[in-house]
Amino acid sequence: MLSLVKLVKGAIALNWRQLLLGALSLAIFVSAWQMYSWYLNANVSGYAAYVPYPGEVAEAFVDSFVTPAGTDGLVMSDHIIASLKRIFMGFVIALSIAVPAGLLMGSYITAEGLGMPIVEIFRPIPPLAWIPLFLVVLGYLKGPAAIVFLGIFFPILFNVILGVKRVDPILIDAAKTLGSKKRHLFLKVVLPYTTPYLMTGIKVGLGIGWMCIVAAEMVGKYGGGVGFYIWDRSDIGQWDYVFAGIAMIAILGILTTGVASQVERRLYAWMGMK
Amino acid sequence: MDGHEVDIRMEALLKVFKEETREIVALKEFSLDVGDGEFVCLLGPSGCGKTTVLRIVAGLETKSGGRVTVSGVEVEGAGSNRGVVFQEFALFPWRTVRKNIEFGLEVKKIPPHEREAVSSTFIDLVNLEGFENAHPHQLSGGMKQRVGIARALANDPAVLLMDEPFGALDAQTRNLMQKELLRIWSATRKTILFVTHSVDEAVFLADRIVVMTARPGKVKRIIPVALPRPRERTSSEFISIRGEVLEELDAEFAKTMMREMTDASVQHKA
Amino acid sequence: MPKKNFATALILATVLLVAGVATYVVLEQRGGDDENAVYYVVEAPSNMKGVLAANHIDGYIAWEPFVSDAVVDGVGKVIEWSGEIVPDHPCCVVAVYNSFASDSEGQDMSARFLKAHMTATDWINQAMDDSDSADYALLVDIAVEFTERNESVVEEALEHMKFHYAMDASFTTALENFTDMYMELGLIAEGKLADGGYSNVSDFIDKYIDGSYMAAAASIEPSETILNPDSPIRLGFLKGDIHQLAQAVGKSDAVLENGKSIFEEYGLNVENAIGAPFSNGGAVMDAFAGGYVDIGYLGSPPAILKHLNAEVRTSIVAQVNSEGSAIVVHADSGITSLSQLAGKTIAHPGTSSIQFLLLKAALQWEGLELKLKT
């Protein structure tokens, strides 16, 4: 079991130079932002209030966790939990379908031949294109979850297929000469070999999942969520809070994929694969 | 056969590979008997089909004709009575040394404590004490092949099939591993069919050296090595056998070279 | 170990499945358990009928024609018209972007636009007086084209609102009330009034409503020529919102006998702004801020919210309509009154909409709380 502390330490274990450059890059960004806000205000731009100062956003960010909103009585953490719930739901369903499907399609030419045309038809369609249909047909919960599902499903599926196909044939040979039957080959060689690939799929999928959930929440405005929060605040023109919501998504996205790629890296290392 | 019982019998093996436009006859009329407990090296120019012979015996490759029996039983696919050691080691990267060695025992559903006893024995035999819980990527090439040998032996096969097992190692490690293999062989008395392209290695290890012809591969000549072990590479007997084998081989190398050049010119014209 | 391996795979699969089903069950629960709460979701009015028919919600509040659309189709029934909640409540307004009307030319254009708006509104009311008249038939045609709904929906919808432009004392009071409600809800921070240079709510509404253009419009005469051929007035309005029928009538060249549109009659070149028709009033205000819209039709609440919160400097120059929204439930449901909505899920068009305020107020008076469905 990987402890969180270990993960954080791993992230910090980058060298100082990198940290310094990172801080500098962030400082440049914030100064540019600050100056742009100044510029808009000085020129009495019509949308000066739409680009609040970094300080105002920071204040709103803190306040969003403390002061319940007048409309729904929720604070930011409620919205985060709501988004996480939907992601989790789409994730679990994607995992439980994509993994078996990927194993089958990677292992059997017939399964691949049957599955690929369907996959290839649906894969190029951005998950968000389904929002209007899904919201009416599947409703407010299953709809957004289905969007997330589509976002996560394909990266997992393709990575699992890739993993199965990349299984070193010499390992299959070795297992055969050690007395393995087909069942053993699958459980003891194909399945473990595919695990790191699955983790890569999960990492990529979670990144896409975040983008999907935010968009789905902005269209299917139900039960909160960070996407909903952003939409709701923009609807009433509280742009400092809108930016706080956007920052929250950035943080959550970085955390999710950051943790996932740490897990991925360690998994590859532990399994002794590339 | 030096009075040995026959352990591996190959009769008139035929192997034809089908490519898009042509068929390649890799083996033709290949026959060979290997006695129980015997150490036989297969030697031949590259592409002569020596690895194909080994893979057919292992059951990893189908034959186009002929017969193979091991301990009197006809070979039908891979099985645990023939242990294989691969040039690429073929260790499971996610398994520890011990777990790699226990793989075949797991498949056989041997209870854990028995497995552990067996794997410990072979870890000792190949001198890997202290590395039981290491993963393959933490090991050197020589150590990896020790695991490969232990893993094959742990299954208690009748024969050990080795496909250029030391081909990926540096010269010093290679020499050391050859000595180690002889020690392990003398401890276990397994029948060994050993594929190599190194004449030196074959003369150092084998009871008999089987020199194969260029494609289509068949037995060109069998050269017994009657030297006592441990063999001295600098001894005049060693050097004379080495010369004899080299001579046989050179003729086949020349054939291969000729054919490759003709192939190239044909392709060039096309 | 094969057994153990297989068992691990089995356990993993089971855990995944149970987790999935559990999440599903937990999240799938409709509404909540609070007996004194009505749960809400936010939905675009054009989707509401479909979502109601698919049984994802128990009811909704929306503007016309999205009320009559469901009623005529037999999907929904009205339990309360917005005029029953707050009689004569103002709804949509005409707003002018301040920087557009900053010079005498812009002021003249705005006055002319108002003259056209008033003429169109008068024509609508005159047409509606006699439903057998040719004008009424033309009005229905224009409304059908604008709302993309059929005649029976449009005719039904027209019955449920009042078209007028005058800004009387009750209009002012209502806008003050809206502002007060937003401030009580914390949706407008206290400091925002002072930021805008207003001493209190009535001072704000007093300054926000600008009657000068309507006064100037009284003396506007038709113009032979188009006065702004190269710089058309960029008009913002909402998609299919029948409340804003006046601007559709103003554009129609079938209303006047001379073949000109009402806008052209008063010398105006009017075009749809980039992004128009907009999905809600908040979007119209954003387009003002972005500099894409000169004059817009939108609900008064988003005009108030974004004027203060996002400093979108506009002026309210005329009314467009009052009433014309309703709470709709399933046609076959037993619900006949607001109090029966307890525990149910209702969709509204968004926090900035007047429908949200009406729903919130109506439920409050019934002792019910409006809660986001989780």
Side-chain angles (χ1 to χ4, degrees), chain B residues 86-185:
Chain B
F86 300 87
Q87 180 179 1
E88 304 90 337
F89 314 130
L91 302 181
F92 302 108
W94 55 89
R95 287 178 164 248
T96 60
V97 166
R98 183 184 287 286
K99 287 285 176 189
N100 260 288
I101 294 170
E102 289 182 6
F103 188 96
L105 305 171
E106 283 178 19
V107 170
K108 280 187 190 161
K109 302 192 176 178
I110 307 285
H113 59 277
E114 285 179 40
R115 287 203 309 251
E116 207 172 313
V118 174
S119 59
S120 295
T121 308
F122 286 96
I123 285 167
D124 287 352
L125 179 69
V126 300
N127 287 328
L128 275 175
E129 301 90 341
F131 292 94
E132 291 88 345
N133 297 318
H135 277 89
H137 67 100
Q138 297 168 301
L139 304 178
S140 68
M143 288 163 93
K144 281 181 191 164
Q145 202 53 294
R146 287 170 192 264
V147 180
I149 293 167
R151 183 177 67 178
L153 289 173
N155 241 9
D156 195 20
V159 302
L160 201 54
L161 307 170
M162 307 184 81
D163 183 13
E164 301 194 33
F166 308 139
L169 306 179
D170 63 76
Q172 268 178 313
T173 313
R174 196 179 170 132
N175 285 347
L176 176 66
M177 286 303 291
Q178 287 164 0
K179 284 181 195 144
E180 284 288 282
L181 178 60
L182 288 177
R183 178 180 62 74
I184 292 163
W185 176 56

Side-chain angles (χ1 to χ4, degrees), chain C residues 72-153:
Chain C
V72 171
D73 258 15
V75 172
K77 65 176 183 190
V78 171
I79 57 165
E80 192 119 329
W81 286 98
S82 62
E84 298 172 76
I85 300 170
V86 181
D88 284 322
H89 71 82
C91 186
C92 290
V93 294
V94 178
V96 172
Y97 196 39
N98 286 357
S99 59
F100 172 73
S102 60
D103 57 10
S104 60
E105 195 195 336
Q107 283 157 11
D108 182 49
M109 289 293 131
S110 303
R112 286 179 178 277
F113 187 92
L114 270 202
K115 179 70 181 179
H117 169 65
M118 290 153 74
T119 309
T121 307
D122 287 337
W123 184 83
I124 292 171
N125 285 324
Q126 163 281 118
M128 282 176 58
D129 280 343
D130 181 2
S131 60
D132 295 327
S133 66
D135 280 356
Y136 182 77
L138 176 58
L139 177 70
V140 170
D141 279 352
I142 294 171
V144 163
E145 196 186 332
F146 174 50
T147 63
E148 297 171 324
R149 294 296 184 274
N150 64 38
E151 278 178 37
S152 38
V153 170

Side-chain angles (χ1 to χ4, degrees), chain A residues 86 89-90 93 127-128 130-151 212-213 215-217 219-222, chain C residues 24 28 56:
Chain A
R86 287 191 188 96
M89 189 171 169
I93 299 168
L128 305 183
W130 298 101
I131 288 178
L133 175 71
F134 281 4
L135 284 182
V136 174
V137 175
L138 297 174
Y140 293 105
L141 170 71
K142 281 177 272 179
I147 308 288
V148 174
F149 163 79
L150 282 178
C212 290
I213 195 62
E217 283 168 356
V219 182
K221 295 173 273 292
Y222 148 88
Chain C
Y24 180 83
E28 182 61 5
H56 299 313

Side-chain angles (χ1 to χ4, degrees), chain A residues 179-234:
Chain A
S180 296
K181 301 281 169 283
K182 272 216 151 158
R183 177 170 54 106
H184 301 125
L185 290 180
F186 184 73
L187 284 175
K188 287 176 176 292
V189 183
V190 176
L191 211 56
Y193 197 94
T194 310
T195 312
Y197 288 87
L198 170 65
M199 197 57 222
T200 304
I202 288 174
K203 183 188 73 172
V204 175
L206 281 179
I208 300 177
W210 267 113
M211 294 186 191
C212 290
I213 195 62
V214 169
E217 283 168 356
M218 290 174 99
V219 182
K221 295 173 273 292
Y222 148 88
V226 186
F228 173 88
Y229 179 89
I230 291 172
W231 184 87
D232 196 39
R233 292 295 160 145
S234 75

Side-chain angles (χ1 to χ4, degrees), chain A residues 12-35:
Chain A
I12 295 174
L14 304 160
N15 62 39
W16 278 103
R17 194 188 156 86
Q18 253 174 320
L19 270 179
L20 227 76
L21 284 175
L24 185 67
S25 147
L26 214 64
I28 291 172
F29 168 69
V30 173
S31 325
W33 173 6
Q34 175 84 22
M35 279 191 277

Side-chain angles (χ1 to χ4, degrees), chain C residues 231-247:
Chain C
S231 52
I233 292 175
R234 298 166 302 166
L235 183 66
F237 57 95
L238 301 196
K239 184 170 169 58
D241 186 347
I242 202 168
H243 296 171
Q244 303 174 1
L245 195 52
Q247 55 81 28

